[in-house]
């Protein structure tokens, strides 16, 4: 459970960093660029802690997928971006993938 | 396209460094993890100056998730189950459709 809490925090910083990146305009805006560096440093630090005892392949997929999921939801929720069929389909696929990877498999008893 | 490929190479090496740092227990990979991921983001930013953002990100996230999974299996003996491949490909597909 602690892993997923840390992963959540890491994704939040990743999303904040990605949002600030839009405002940095190719790293020409100094303030936004500093926010990008700050957020990504924290995001990667948490990422490093999580991958110590977990598979890098799995955590990386959850990290990227979770980031995209959140950025898309924020875009629609906060910035009034359009809700398209492809967005809904993509979000559903990511969600199914994340749940499938993280929910432990029930061992079938013989 | 060259910048995008460079960014992907750095992303992959960065992810390997992340795993090698064992939660900051090893100093050198801890430092290179930040350097490579920084370089990867820098070149990704450069690549979207010439390639459309949506396309660049879709290629980038798809390839980096795939590469990280494969290197995790090859270098760190991570599980190569059918279930894992299935759900990771769901995530890759979902990310690519959105972006």
């Amino acid at each position: 459970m602690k892993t997923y809490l840390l992963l959540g925090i890491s994704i939040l910083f990743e999303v904040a960093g990605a949002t600030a990146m839009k405002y940095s305009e190719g790293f020409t805006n100094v303030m936004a660029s500093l926010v990008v560096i700050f957020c990504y440093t924290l995001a990667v630090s948490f990422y490093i802690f999580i991958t110590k005892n977990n598979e890098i392949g799995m955590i990386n997929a959850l990290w990227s997928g979770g980031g995209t999921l959140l950025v898309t939801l924020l875009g629609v929720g906060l910035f009034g971006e359009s809700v398209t069929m492809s967005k809904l389909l993509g979000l559903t696929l990511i969600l199914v993938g994340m749940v499938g990877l993280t929910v432990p498999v029930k061992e079938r008893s013989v | 396209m060259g910048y995008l490929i460079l960014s992907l190479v750095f992303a992959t090496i960065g992810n390997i460094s992340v795993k090698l740092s064992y939660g900051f227990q090893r100093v050198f990979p801890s430092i290179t993890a930040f350097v490579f991921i920084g370089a990867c983001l820098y070149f990704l930013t450069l690549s979207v100056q010439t390639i459309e953002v949506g396309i660049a990100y879709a290629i980038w996230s798809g390839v980096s998730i795939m590469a990280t999974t494969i290197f995790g299996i090859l270098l760190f003996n991570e599980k190569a189950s059918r279930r894992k491949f299935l759900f990771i490909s769901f995530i890759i597909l979902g990310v690519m459709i959105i972006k």
Side-chain angles (χ1 to χ4, degrees), chain A residues 73-95:
Chain A
L73 289 179
L74 280 179
V76 172
L78 293 182
F79 305 114
E81 289 175 9
S82 61
V83 183
T84 57
M85 270 315 281
S86 61
K87 267 186 199 170
L88 290 176
L89 179 66
L91 288 174
T92 312
L93 280 173
I94 294 177
L95 210 61

Side-chain angles (χ1 to χ4, degrees), chain A residues 3-4 7 11 47 50-51 53-66 97-105, chain B residues 15 19 64-73 76 78-81 83-85 87-89 91-92:
Chain A
T3 302
Y4 297 127
L7 183 67
I11 290 174
Y47 181 44
I50 305 161
T51 49
N53 297 316
N54 292 283
E55 295 195 346
I56 183 101
M58 196 183 109
I59 296 298
N60 178 263
L62 292 174
W63 202 61
S64 310
M98 289 180 78
V99 172
L101 274 182
T102 49
V103 170
V105 202
Chain B
N15 274 311
K19 184 68 186 175
S64 66
I65 297 176
M66 236 181 303
T68 306
T69 309
I70 292 168
F71 277 106
I73 292 164
F76 304 111
E78 296 184 348
K79 266 180 287 165
S81 64
R83 181 185 138 94
K84 186 174 159 184
F85 284 126
F87 288 121
I88 287 185
S89 50
I91 294 181
I92 293 175

Side-chain angles (χ1 to χ4, degrees), chain A residues 18-36:
Chain A
T19 310
M21 203 180 263
K22 276 186 190 164
Y23 291 107
S24 80
E25 282 150 37
F27 295 109
T28 46
N29 181 331
V30 178
M31 195 56 212
S33 304
L34 288 177
V35 176
V36 173

